Amino acid sequence: MHPIRRLIWGGHGCGKTAALVDSAAELLTSGFDSAEILALSIHRPAVRGLRDLLHERLGRDIPTADVRHRAVSILQQFPAAAHLPQEWTSGDIVSALDRRMLMRRVWVEASGPETLYARYGTAPGALDWLARVFDAFAEWAGTADAERLASHVPAEAPLAELWETYRLYLALGRQLGLVAFQEVLPRTIDVLREPEVRAAVAPRAILVDDLDLFRPSELLLVQALAGLDTMVIAASTTTPASWSDDPQIRFLANWCVRLGLVPDREAAGISSSPRPCDTRYAECLTPAREVEAIAQFIAARRGGPCLSCLSDYAVVCFDPALVPLVRRTLPEWDIAVEGMEARDAYTLAIAPLVLAGMRLLAGVPFAPGELTAFLRHPVLGLPSGDTRLLVGALGGQPAGSVGPAVSESLWLAERSWPEALSEVGRLRLQQIAEVTADLRAVAMSSSAKLRAWLDRLDLRARAREQTAPALEPWAVAADEALLDRWLLFLERSEQVRAALGNVLGGSEAVEVLASSQGLVEPITPRLADAVRIWRPEELGGCSAATVWIAGLNEDVLPTKPAPLPWASSDSFVEAFDRLPGFVVPDAGDRAARWEAAEALLRRAVGRARQTLVLSWSRTDRDGRRRLPSPVLSPLIVDLPALTKAGQGDPGSVRPGSVVSMLSSRPSALDDLKLPVSTLFTTSPSAIENFLQCPRQYFYARELKLYDVASSARQALGQVVHAALRDLKTTGDDAPAIPRLVDAHWPKRDRRFGTRLREAAFRHLAEKAVAQVVEADRTSSRAGVHFLAAETSFSWRMAPDVELHGTVDRVDRSPDGLIILDYKLGSHSPSIKELLAKFAPPAADDDRAAWRPSDLQLPLYALAVERGSSETLAAAGGERVAEVGLIFPLELYTAKGKLSDKGRRLIRIVDHEPGCVACSSGSSRSAAVGLVCRDQLEQIVERALVAVAGMRSGNIEPDPREGGRTCRGCPFRTICPAPRV
């Protein structure tokens, strides 16, 4: 029978998981045994939800796991095939500390003079840096076998050194029978290459939920599990597309092609509309009030007819700083939070004594305050009066205080004890001193000494006596188990070093214990009735009746991940794109990041079954103003009322409006208004942005999303502007133009693409500067000379509106000032086209709907005349005679003659009866470009109308030229306006 390979896809809340469960039911009906089916999801909460749903629907248990735990179980079942010890378990996974020790060892071996290790290997953080590189290699390699690793050598020496280091690291791990957390998946893929292993563990059918959340290494493992006859049915929110901007989605698309997964939506019975949901919004004053609103909301409904359990509620915190606030605030309202019952190694009653004992045995001085904390510990058994005497003799240093380290010799020797010590206290101190001295003299491992120290001082039994009356039996047992796991960290570190021919010294043992204490996983029972707190990145398979999504402020934006070394270089991609799981680690594409952020929010929204609340706060913890996240813009619709300051019920919208979140992209954002200030400060370019499209202005100016570094042509303009500024300021008649351009050329910038393309742009920059110099020298315009460059101005164009900006260049002629703007674009407009950008139309009816596209030149002219500028103070009172554009690359023809295309000038004239400038307008050709001062006043009026719209908070998408504007908009991928 040909195996079924099917991809179920649809929006969040559309029933994909239910369709996956139905597929499992069909498999059981067709003769599959439940043990022959494996259900996989992305993480433990999702696995738990999928397992429960399968059991509820099918009445039997289907093996369900996340990919990593499935991999660990295979390694435990076949340790010999994985080159691991026979009794290997998940507890034997190498810790990060030991992994770094192995990394340093092989890095030294792979290095030589003039290498990465020679330059950076001993610097602080070098191993953390290398670990990030190794993590990426483990994700992409598809193997943990050095022999199977791709044998190519990257062209760049540093990359080749890293690749060889990784090869040696894998070989050493296999030789010693060690595997780190990051190598579990590729090691399991290697094991599945053995036919007998695959035959024993490969299921007849694999069900995969939330496929689009799987990492490349996890997808490779699923591929390794699936034999030729294995049924594979997967559910995904994202439709994999090989043309996607997101390299992760492109990889998923290719993976689906390799497995033959056919997208199937209608056949699976997926609804095209998500389930209806009551959607509410809350705008709070501060983050603290936002969390209080969550507590108030849950407390008011707890025990109600619809939601009787706290487990019906979940909170998704997009602002990580809200998590501790939520965990602290909800219990104050008598609301239990999942995880608040957890006990980790830091809460062990005996934990401080274990670390102190290792310090004593190793002879490592105590940090300030640690010795007094040790002496005060009730499990140690010193009478309280004696403890006060000893602490007083040591100066009473509090824990965490800053000061010199304290040697145990201050109290371990009897001569340093206070004379007033009781007999009981004196005997206990003598016992501690004797046991410590005896064990120091014995030749044994640090872990064995520590266990003997704990046993001979009876500290474990004493700790049990302290905790048993205060804790439930499970908590006492958890303390014991956690202590054993903590000590195992130390023993494994000793074993790793012994295998390498080293001995773990006493000071190193103290460091291992201190570092590994926080690595012990919590042991805790689940609270049956508690509010769940979810991370946005781990929402696959989770759902709750009511979901509150908090912290949706403007800083909740897709951020560019920290790139791996050389990750953006061509050689990096060329070196590693042949690895089976390779995904470009940093696409550097804002559109892809916005798509990912929007998908993350939609996934969070889809977790709610009945009620959804989205909230943000108007200020941060320091009182600074904040706006709602623009990721919300395609979601918020029909907001009649918002809760203010977190009081009362959040404002609600009509039931079913969540449909708009998951399908259509509405454009109404009436309630996201920008605050009005007393004095509104703006610039000509900002006004142009608003006239182009208010939504574009909102993204670029209010949310600061516009990145001028995204365009090579804009970068060229920045270089030429800066070079010309320096040139005209110094007055050098014979400048060294290449050196001038090089001084302003962006260093280590990839925006120009290849080196050949960068060289071409550098040539253009030098040509532009040279042509301006030559044109200024040979210009035939008599009496025109340079006055100022890069001149800043401010102009109060209305009582409460101030205009700021910078003029590229100001010349002086006998008729007045000339305002010039350099343009490095590829198109020089005609006089008619230039006038059309700002000259008002002649007809009054046309003028009412008139939206100019370029206001810089006329506003610059008036600002220079009416505003203030220190640079032009000497020219005060002079009128502007002309405005114009200089196109440095168009100043000369191919034959070396001055070209009219390189300089487009508009003369400013006074308005008179029968004004030629007004009658010609922008619709008729003119022999000479003219604009009159009456037209300038009309331009100012239109600019002030735009400013009024900016101040009112109008951010409706309204492109000036419709689809043409949208096609060239840098925010097209994130704007909720209809896309043309």
Side-chain angles (χ1 to χ4, degrees), residues 470-542:
L471 301 177
E472 298 179 19
W474 75 265
V476 177
D479 271 359
E480 290 287 327
L482 287 171
L483 176 59
D484 288 333
R485 293 194 61 187
W486 191 24
L487 294 174
L488 279 175
F489 268 97
L490 181 58
E491 292 176 357
R492 279 199 296 270
S493 293
E494 290 172 335
Q495 293 167 4
V496 170
R497 283 161 176 78
L500 296 173
N502 298 332
V503 176
L504 183 71
S507 59
E508 286 183 299
V510 173
E511 183 181 353
V512 168
L513 277 180
S515 302
S516 63
Q517 185 176 358
L519 301 177
V520 177
E521 296 181 2
I523 298 176
T524 171
R526 290 182 57 200
L527 285 179
D529 192 25
V531 174
R532 290 165 286 178
I533 300 178
W534 293 331
R535 294 170 53 191
E537 300 82 10
E538 296 181 349
L539 289 174
C542 302

Side-chain angles (χ1 to χ4, degrees), residues 542-577:
C542 302
S543 68
T546 295
V547 174
W548 188 302
I549 303 177
L552 293 172
N553 291 93
E554 79 269 23
D555 49 356
V556 182
L557 295 173
T559 56
K560 190 174 182 178
L564 289 170
W566 305 286
S568 60
S569 70
D570 295 336
S571 58
F572 187 94
V573 176
E574 292 171 0
F576 301 118
D577 66 352

Side-chain angles (χ1 to χ4, degrees), residues 622-671:
D622 297 322
R624 293 185 294 262
R625 180 179 66 87
R626 298 199 297 186
L627 294 170
S629 171
V631 184
L632 282 167
S633 58
L635 309 182
I636 301 180
V637 292
D638 191 19
L639 303 183
L642 289 173
T643 301
K644 301 298 181 183
Q647 296 176 348
D649 267 357
S652 62
V653 298
R654 64 179 184 275
S657 65
V658 73
V659 173
S660 62
M661 291 188 189
L662 306 174
S663 54
S664 63
R665 299 173 64 88
S667 60
L669 274 168
D670 294 335
D671 287 88

Side-chain angles (χ1 to χ4, degrees), residues 415-438:
R415 63 179 180 276
S416 64
W417 297 343
E419 294 183 0
L421 279 181
S422 69
E423 186 64 24
V424 173
R426 191 174 295 275
L427 289 174
R428 183 60 172 167
L429 284 176
Q430 287 176 346
Q431 183 186 19
I432 296 171
E434 291 171 0
V435 169
T436 302
D438 290 346

Side-chain angles (χ1 to χ4, degrees), residues 919-973:
S919 61
S920 65
S922 61
S923 60
R924 296 174 54 190
S925 176
V928 178
L930 298 175
V931 64
C932 74
R933 294 195 174 273
D934 183 69
Q935 290 176 311
L936 293 182
E937 296 301 331
Q938 295 177 46
I939 291 171
V940 172
E941 292 176 4
R942 187 64 187 86
L944 289 174
V945 171
V947 169
M950 295 156 66
R951 300 186 71 175
S952 70
N954 174 22
I955 54 176
E956 286 293 326
D958 185 15
R960 190 178 70 89
E961 295 178 334
R964 180 179 175 184
T965 300
C966 289
R967 282 193 294 272
C969 179
F971 312 110
R972 182 170 178 263
T973 58

